[in-house]
Amino acid sequence: YLMLRYTPEVDWSKVPPTKAETVVVVDTSAGGDEPSRALRTAAAEAVLRALADEDRFALVALDVRPVVLYPDKGLAGPTEADVSRALEKLSSYTVGGATDLGSMFETALERLHGADAPAVVYVGDGVPTSGETATDALLARMRRSFTGSRARLFTVGVGSAARHDTLTRLAHAGGGQHARIAEVEDTTGQALRLVGAVKGPTITELSLDLGAGLDEPFWSVDGKVSRGEEVVLLARTHHPLPARAKVK
């Protein structure tokens, strides 16, 4: 049995902050009461208003299927006018029925194609009621969707009924972070922390080669490592380990 721990040899202090190119996905399903839905909207607004002038965003509503609310094409700048128009679209959007969490990945990634440091931010309770409803199935779909993409997944669990366990696992596997918002007073602070993490420098295409012969390898990350994180590999082998590990 093998455990490998690796910390990237990067001088993070010399890496400039990245420009946030973000798709914010808001759960607009019928689940939860009116205060819960209002809290989701407040959380999404806080994230959008935490973006800087050089950042870009799109806003997506998610229930039985994802719908891009704003802008019509590409990504918009976080100007007061653009954020206000996006929030107007969200407030006038008809509340849907079930929640298909897995369906958001492809739609969000389409808007982020070609971005240097793309990120998907989900805002909601993390309770899937259609499509993949089991956490392991959701993780598998996310990994398939994100294969070959630099995008990271961040999650914001909103309300007292939020499935923080599911959302934490999704964010960790997606190379991002999870935030919790239980009250309106939490929105600004958590949004600033989350956007700071989105803009933080991240290795998005890390690979480690320990040669052939590893059985059932388990990686703590899927090729995405941020400042302060390490990579952990668990596996078993019946072969001698190579003298060197190759890192890309």
Side-chain angles (χ1 to χ4, degrees):
Y1 291 91
L2 164 73
M3 179 175 73
L4 174 138
R5 298 173 63 190
Y6 173 75
T7 302
E9 297 176 358
V10 176
D11 186 352
W12 294 101
S13 64
K14 294 183 178 180
V15 182
T18 58
K19 177 176 68 174
E21 295 168 295
T22 306
V23 172
V24 178
V25 181
V26 183
D27 191 330
T28 53
S29 66
D33 53 16
E34 187 58 37
S36 297
R37 291 190 285 272
L39 188 56
R40 297 175 201 170
T41 300
E45 179 177 2
V47 171
L48 294 179
R49 296 196 182 282
L51 297 173
D53 293 343
E54 69 274 11
D55 300 332
R56 296 292 181 269
F57 80 93
L59 184 65
V60 173
L62 175 68
D63 39 69
V64 291
R65 63 186 179 91
V67 176
V68 180
L69 299 179
Y70 191 85
D72 293 334
K73 295 182 179 179
L75 302 173
T79 64
E80 178 62 35
D82 282 296
V83 171
S84 296
R85 280 194 287 269
L87 293 173
E88 287 172 6
K89 294 272 190 178
L90 179 61
S91 63
S92 62
Y93 184 77
T94 303
V95 174
T99 305
D100 186 352
L101 281 182
S103 67
M104 71 173 165
F105 302 131
E106 290 84 359
T107 298
L109 292 175
E110 286 176 4
R111 285 296 175 111
L112 295 170
H113 181 70
D116 289 332
V120 179
V121 178
Y122 166 81
V123 179
D125 60 9
V127 181
T129 53
S130 68
E132 294 86 356
T133 55
T135 301
D136 287 342
L138 266 175
L139 285 166
R141 181 166 180 178
M142 187 210 69
R143 290 190 172 104
R144 290 195 302 270
S145 301
F146 278 61
T147 297
S149 173
R150 293 180 174 181
R152 292 173 291 154
L153 175 65
F154 294 79
T155 56
V156 183
V158 179
S160 58
R163 289 284 303 275
H164 296 294
D165 52 346
T166 297
L167 294 176
T168 298
R169 289 185 64 188
L170 286 170
H172 182 75
Q177 296 183 17
H178 174 62
R180 301 177 179 226
I181 293 180
E183 305 289 345
V184 174
E185 292 76 13
D186 302 332
T187 55
T188 300
Q190 291 292 348
L192 288 170
R193 184 184 70 80
L194 193 76
V195 171
V198 170
K199 293 170 69 68
T202 300
I203 298 170
T204 55
E205 296 170 272
L206 177 77
S207 66
L208 288 170
D209 182 1
L210 278 80
L214 294 184
D215 297 328
E216 301 181 20
F218 171 80
W219 297 90
S220 63
V221 298
D222 288 339
K224 300 178 177 71
V225 185
S226 300
R227 183 174 186 169
E229 294 182 338
E230 71 171 5
V231 181
V232 178
L233 164 66
L234 300 174
R236 58 181 189 176
T237 182
H238 299 284
H239 305 278
L241 295 175
R244 292 175 177 267
K246 297 179 182 179
V247 183
K248 296 181 181 180

